[in-house]
Amino acid sequence: MMDEARLTPGQLSFIALANEYCQAIETAGQTDREDFVSSMLRLLPRLYIVATDLPPATGMEEDGYVDNYLDEDTYNIAREQISNILGMDDTYLEVFEEDMKYSDTPIGASISEGLCDIFQSLYNFLSTVKDAPVDLILGTLVAQKEDFEHYWSQILCNNLRALNALRYND
């Protein structure tokens, strides 16, 4: 059983919110466009805040390693469901792409792919920490914060901007 006394409220909030986000992605095919966009616009900012507030490594944690649990079929099914919900609005112009500096051609990005990239990271994290001892959870939270900082924080922000445009510019 997990010793929750060693996990901070912020760490527990991150785990709970990661679970809520994964459930929203997994059940996307059961929602309509308006509800899905509203859900993402509520979840993404909160997820950004709790991930940002995760404490940095203290050196006391075990090395965190996140196994890859999400299979390609599950990823693709979720991506296709979200893409179907958003239709032609799934694609948006990406301005933060590194290649954009060297291109005269606009670079498109996919909301469904971005949301599923975040889903993959969080799904793998949750699968790794499920029933794990607190020391492993703490190390994995550090690894998740690093993944957030170096990879999916920008994806989250880009998708939030695109989803905001869908909701308020239609």
Side-chain angles (χ1 to χ4, degrees):
M1 185 165 159
M2 182 169 46
D3 177 12
E4 293 181 351
R6 291 187 52 201
L7 293 172
T8 68
Q11 291 165 328
L12 292 170
S13 292
F14 178 81
I15 294 168
L17 195 54
N19 187 56
E20 186 178 346
Y21 178 83
C22 287
Q23 288 178 0
I25 296 298
E26 289 176 311
T27 61
Q30 301 166 18
T31 61
D32 64 21
R33 175 188 162 120
E34 184 177 333
D35 289 341
F36 180 75
V37 170
S38 292
S39 175
M40 290 297 107
L41 287 173
R42 283 190 312 274
L43 285 168
L44 291 173
R46 293 169 41 218
L47 191 55
Y48 187 93
I49 291 168
V50 296
T52 300
D53 288 345
L54 286 173
T58 63
M60 303 276 300
E61 303 88 2
E62 291 183 16
D63 287 340
Y65 176 76
V66 177
D67 286 322
N68 190 13
Y69 288 94
L70 186 70
D71 61 80
E72 189 174 347
D73 288 341
T74 304
Y75 177 98
N76 285 331
I77 289 168
R79 187 188 52 73
E80 288 172 20
Q81 288 177 341
I82 296 167
S83 180
N84 289 338
I85 291 169
L86 299 177
M88 293 187 63
D89 292 324
D90 184 37
T91 303
Y92 64 97
L93 293 180
E94 180 52 78
V95 296
F96 291 106
E97 179 67 36
E98 186 66 28
D99 294 340
M100 188 70 179
K101 295 177 188 175
Y102 312 107
S103 175
D104 293 334
T105 307
I107 296 175
S110 164
I111 294 171
S112 59
E113 188 173 334
L115 293 176
C116 284
D117 286 351
I118 297 167
F119 170 65
Q120 181 174 24
S121 181
L122 295 177
Y123 183 97
N124 291 338
F125 163 74
L126 291 170
S127 297
T128 300
V129 302
K130 181 180 173 186
D131 299 322
V134 173
D135 290 341
L136 177 65
I137 295 171
L138 291 171
T140 308
L141 281 164
V142 170
Q144 190 62 36
K145 181 173 177 84
E146 290 172 0
D147 193 37
F148 167 76
E149 290 173 351
H150 300 291
Y151 176 61
W152 60 269
S153 63
Q154 188 65 57
I155 294 170
L156 185 151
C157 290
N158 295 348
N159 276 272
L160 183 59
R161 181 178 50 86
L163 289 164
N164 182 71
L166 289 182
R167 179 153 189 203
Y168 295 111
N169 294 342
D170 275 353

